[in-house]
Amino acid sequence: MSRTALVTGGSRGVGQGVATALVAAGWTVYVTSRHGTGPDGTIALACDHTDDDAVAEVFARIERDTDGLDLLVNNAWAAPRGFGGFSDRFWERPVDDWDTLIDVGLRAHYVASVHAARMMVARGSGLIASISSFGSRGHLHSVLYGMSKSGLDKMSFDMGHELSGTGVTAVSLWLGLIRTELLLSLGIDEFAGFSLQRAEDPEFVGRVIDALAGDPDLGDHNGHTLVTAELGVGYGLANNDGTTPDSHREAFGGGPLFPPATAAAESLG
């Protein structure tokens, strides 16, 4: 029986790569985007993730069409206006940066998770995976960017606590540098000090999520924040060209805070 996934913000970048990898792994994949576009093999739905009614309709559509939802990948994201959103200091930026980086980058994931949990708990299984980053651990891009990613990690931690015993797992994923089409088009060898040769393909992230969803010990990760590059090593996965992506753990001064850093270190030991 085909497993069903929803990837929010699945028309480009990380979301597109994740959806593509899931399709290749045999999933039935729904994707959302503002314009209702998605990669080949997916079921693309138009959705503005700041519109709660539109989000509710996406989940209603999946419930009508399928036997249930097995995987939610919270990936929808919106950049603040202008490149200055990541080059100017917080007091030099308009306060409405909040509307993209928090309302879309955090609140929208909470809303989608509520709908997904209602479907998954009723069936007694499922995975809610939220795309976060090392910006939770160290400064990255902007104040509001870090706030949104830290919020995702804490959201997954507390959701995991409340989902305990239901068969549903919530995790937050720290991605490293991603080899998006845009980044590769720049013709550079490194970005912000990180090698593009050892960065992560968007499809790599999708393969990691597929492996995690099928892991018989998935429940052991409930509420945890996980590093995709490290999961990839554990699952024996690689980029499209066979390279193994680097973890940025050392560069950002340590690992996830949820579970606490000491427990995380022990679990990797």
Side-chain angles (χ1 to χ4, degrees):
M1 184 173 63
S2 176
R3 296 170 294 173
T4 300
L6 169 62
V7 181
T8 67
S11 65
R12 59 184 178 177
V14 171
Q16 181 183 53
V18 168
T20 298
L22 293 175
V23 168
W27 291 76
T28 296
V29 182
Y30 290 79
V31 300
T32 59
S33 68
R34 281 184 174 273
H35 302 293
T37 58
D40 291 344
T42 65
I43 302 166
L45 305 176
C47 179
D48 177 351
H49 278 272
T50 65
D51 181 342
D52 290 353
D53 290 338
V55 175
E57 178 52 35
V58 166
F59 284 89
R61 164 74 183 272
I62 295 172
E63 198 160 25
R64 290 194 301 268
D65 288 356
T66 71
D67 293 329
L69 184 66
D70 300 286
L71 169 64
L72 167 65
V73 181
N74 279 319
N75 174 74
W77 190 80
R81 290 175 296 155
F83 183 74
F86 286 160
S87 60
D88 295 341
R89 294 167 294 185
F90 72 91
W91 65 90
E92 300 166 333
R93 290 291 302 168
V95 294
D96 65 7
D97 281 357
W98 181 282
D99 299 341
T100 53
L101 292 170
I102 303 298
D103 285 356
V104 179
L106 179 57
R107 185 184 185 279
H109 301 326
Y110 175 80
V111 174
S113 297
V114 168
H115 288 285
R118 288 171 179 168
M119 296 177 67
M120 292 174 176
V121 169
R123 301 177 69 212
S125 64
L127 170 62
I128 299 171
S130 297
I131 301 299
S132 186
S133 86
F134 285 86
S136 292
R137 182 78 191 196
H139 182 271
L140 183 64
H141 298 317
S142 74
V143 170
L144 285 172
Y145 180 88
M147 288 170 60
S148 69
K149 297 306 184 182
S150 298
L152 284 178
D153 295 350
K154 178 60 170 167
M155 181 185 83
S156 296
F157 181 74
D158 287 348
M159 284 182 177
H161 178 79
E162 296 188 13
L163 287 167
S164 179
T166 67
V168 180
T169 298
V171 301
S172 189
L173 300 175
W174 278 7
L175 280 55
L177 182 63
I178 301 295
R179 299 198 294 201
T180 61
E181 290 183 7
L182 176 60
L183 193 57
L184 293 175
S185 72
L186 300 178
I188 56 179
D189 295 324
E190 66 174 40
F191 184 84
F194 297 107
S195 167
L196 261 68
Q197 287 188 327
R198 301 301 296 270
E200 300 174 37
D201 288 329
E203 295 84 1
F204 167 82
V205 178
R207 290 192 285 271
V208 167
I209 293 174
D210 170 57
L212 182 64
D215 191 329
D217 296 321
L218 172 63
D220 293 344
H221 299 299
N222 192 27
H224 290 203
T225 296
L226 308 169
V227 179
T228 50
E230 295 170 3
L231 284 174
V233 170
Y235 290 130
L237 301 172
N239 276 325
N240 301 341
D241 60 6
T243 58
T244 302
D246 289 332
S247 169
H248 297 341
R249 177 187 291 266
E250 183 176 351
F252 281 90
L257 302 179
F258 303 108
T262 52
E266 290 173 2
S267 69
L268 289 168

